[in-house]
Amino acid sequence: FTNELAGATATFLTMAYILAVNPRILAESGGPCVPDPPEMGGIFGPNYEQCLEDIKRQYITSTAIGSMIGCLLMGIFANLPVALAPGMG
């Protein structure tokens, strides 16, 4: 039982890490957001910051959905208890 608990804990922490870090890395690219004009603050403008927050939420959702689909496909078709998530490397 302790082996399963250790494995489940490691898998949960890994997936939580990916769900937290992967969207932040992707959002740092700016995505489709266009900076405000220089007189409105440029990349520090309120519209650009709001766009980045919206993109980050969308990336979190898409990372979670991608992980869910990968885990379900691995469990259903391969019959293996392997968790899959978008990679960061």
Side-chain angles (χ1 to χ4, degrees), residues 24-51:
R24 178 177 283 260
I25 292 171
L26 293 173
E28 288 296 320
S29 71
C33 299
V34 178
D36 292 339
E39 60 273 1
M40 300 249 335
I43 61 171
F44 301 108
N47 294 332
Y48 186 71
E49 291 292 329
Q50 183 62 40
C51 180

Side-chain angles (χ1 to χ4, degrees), residues 10 14-16 19 29 31 36 38 40 42 44 49 57 59 63-64 78 82 85:
T14 302
M15 295 297 262
L19 284 174
S29 71
D36 292 339
M40 300 249 335
F44 301 108
E49 291 292 329
R57 281 191 218 105
Y59 286 156
T63 301
V82 177

Side-chain angles (χ1 to χ4, degrees), residues 52-74:
L52 285 180
E53 286 301 314
D54 292 342
I55 287 296
K56 199 178 296 182
R57 281 191 218 105
Q58 292 172 7
Y59 286 156
I60 289 170
T61 303
S62 62
T63 301
I65 291 172
S67 300
M68 180 191 72
I69 291 170
C71 291
L72 285 174
L73 291 175
M74 181 62 82

